[in-house]
Amino acid sequence: MNVSLQWRQVQAVAAKEFRDRLRNRWVLAVAVVFTVFSLLITYFGSAAQGQIGPRSIELTIASLVSLVIYLIPLIALLLGFDAIVGERERGSLDLLLALPITRLELLLGKYLGLAGALTLSTVSGFALVALLLYQRFSWAGLYHYAGFVISSVLLGLAFLSLAVLLSVLARDRTRASGLAIALWFALVLVFDLLLLGLLVATGGQFGGQAFAYLLLLNPADIFRILNVFSLDDVQRLYGLASILPPALSQVGWLSSAMLAWIVAPLALASWRFRP
């Protein structure tokens, strides 16, 4: 099989996919959602303690971590679940493949176009919070916040890669959407409950430190560790300091695990999308 890539073809598909998302105002809608929720959490998150506005950069990021873990995976899955199966149902997939473009170029172009739209909406949505944190904490606050935004983008790209894989595997859009929602429930809501249930049921003896590495099987948990372990106060807030080994506090190692969650599903989708 010829696996050589013509990047001009990939760029053409990606640019069309990105323009389509801009044209139907998908990027604007998601950016507004992120802006509203992130500003509300940042500005009123400390209202219960009698204070308005961000009290500390660590607690602000901790509050936004929960928002990102619930919203970004869902948005990424809904964005990408019909990338391929939608074209197949509309009958336009055969037309696209009749053009001088390979299946790999089409798949990669689709992913990059969707990834550009998701990244733009995410960064735009968090921009006003960055301005608020800069006014309160100066550049020191922006340094931590920039790391949080970058990891948020990586989390979205990982779930988008999973969505494209589902889109290749599913027979129709209905099944693809059902699988996307089921995957969101499994990784965002159920996975942690199962691990915590096992940990409590076994009195903390199950698997020893190896138990903590099971968190790497979930990109949402990798994102949480990336943003929790750099913040001492937040470690205690999440109660993870006692169960996570020191190796999981290395940002480079965790970033590599997140990149693997982006590359591996996309590589599997490419293999399954072969003629």
Side-chain angles (χ1 to χ4, degrees), residues 122-141:
T122 303
V123 174
S124 301
F126 286 129
L128 284 181
V129 173
L131 180 62
L132 189 64
L133 294 178
Y134 175 73
Q135 291 176 335
R136 180 65 64 92
F137 304 109
S138 187
W139 290 109

Side-chain angles (χ1 to χ4, degrees), residues 255-270:
S255 299
S256 299
M258 185 69 89
L259 290 175
W261 270 105
I262 297 173
V263 173
L266 206 56
L268 187 57
S270 174

Side-chain angles (χ1 to χ4, degrees), residues 78-109:
L78 294 179
L79 174 64
F81 81 90
D82 69 340
I84 298 299
V85 73
E87 298 283 0
R88 186 182 295 128
E89 277 199 357
R90 290 189 292 270
S92 53
L93 182 60
D94 291 337
L95 180 62
L96 287 172
L97 294 176
L99 299 173
I101 184 172
T102 67
R103 287 173 178 258
L104 178 59
E105 290 163 355
L106 175 62
L107 186 73
L108 197 55

Side-chain angles (χ1 to χ4, degrees), residues 174-230:
T174 302
R175 287 186 176 86
S177 61
L179 289 171
I181 297 299
L183 186 64
W184 181 82
F185 271 102
L187 293 181
V188 174
L189 299 179
V190 177
F191 186 83
D192 285 356
L193 288 177
L194 286 177
L195 289 186
L196 289 174
L198 285 173
L199 190 64
V200 172
T202 60
Q205 300 302 314
F206 177 76
Q209 281 204 339
F211 182 86
Y213 287 95
L214 293 177
L215 295 174
L216 299 181
L217 298 177
N218 186 348
D221 281 325
I222 297 174
F223 169 79
R224 182 182 284 115
I225 298 169
L226 270 170
N227 288 281
V228 166
F229 253 79
S230 61

Side-chain angles (χ1 to χ4, degrees), residues 18-83:
F18 184 73
R19 284 196 302 270
D20 288 344
R21 300 298 165 175
L22 291 181
R23 192 177 298 118
N24 65 19
R25 299 183 180 179
W26 185 94
V27 172
L28 177 62
V30 174
V32 169
V33 169
F34 274 119
T35 300
V36 170
F37 279 102
S38 59
L39 281 176
L40 286 174
I41 290 174
T42 302
Y43 208 71
F44 296 109
S46 302
Q49 288 78 38
Q51 181 177 342
I52 299 299
R55 190 173 57 177
S56 75
I57 185 64
E58 295 189 346
L59 293 180
T60 299
I61 290 178
S63 300
L64 293 175
V65 162
S66 299
L67 171 71
V68 167
I69 285 179
Y70 284 104
L71 271 187
I72 284 188
L74 182 61
I75 290 172
L77 289 168
L78 294 179
L79 174 64
F81 81 90
D82 69 340

